[in-house]
Amino acid sequence: MNIVLFEKLPDGLLRKISERPWDEKIITALNVANYVLIDTKEYEMIEGRLNLDENVFELLLVTVGGQEGGNKL
């Protein structure tokens, strides 16, 4: 299954970060992970949506810490 990662920007718009195939083990890890690293940038996973029309699992992310982007911790 393909996973599409979207970053929610401070203005509410969505930016597609990546689309990549994930196997069952990685998808299962979503149950215990709250954060992901992509290109050395840390994101918090906010919610997921299974898009059956496009056969993808979509993850909504916000940046964490002092980085540009969404919510600041």
Side-chain angles (χ1 to χ4, degrees):
M1 172 172 282
N2 274 354
I3 302 295
V4 180
L5 304 165
F6 291 99
E7 177 184 7
K8 185 175 182 180
L9 301 172
D11 60 6
L13 295 177
L14 300 180
R15 178 179 73 90
K16 184 176 176 179
I17 299 171
S18 175
E19 182 171 352
R20 56 183 78 185
W22 281 10
D23 63 22
E24 185 177 320
K25 289 181 183 180
I26 296 177
I27 293 172
T28 301
L30 291 173
N31 289 325
V32 295
N34 295 315
Y35 301 90
V36 295
L37 289 172
I38 303 167
D39 297 328
T40 69
K41 191 171 182 181
E42 186 174 24
Y43 297 91
E44 181 178 3
M45 293 185 286
I46 302 300
E47 61 185 57
R49 177 173 78 168
L50 183 58
N51 183 334
L52 296 177
D53 292 336
E54 297 182 21
N55 195 34
V56 297
F57 187 68
E58 301 167 341
L59 286 177
L60 182 61
L61 313 170
V62 293
T63 57
V64 296
Q67 302 169 15
E68 296 294 320
N71 298 338
K72 306 291 186 209
L73 291 180

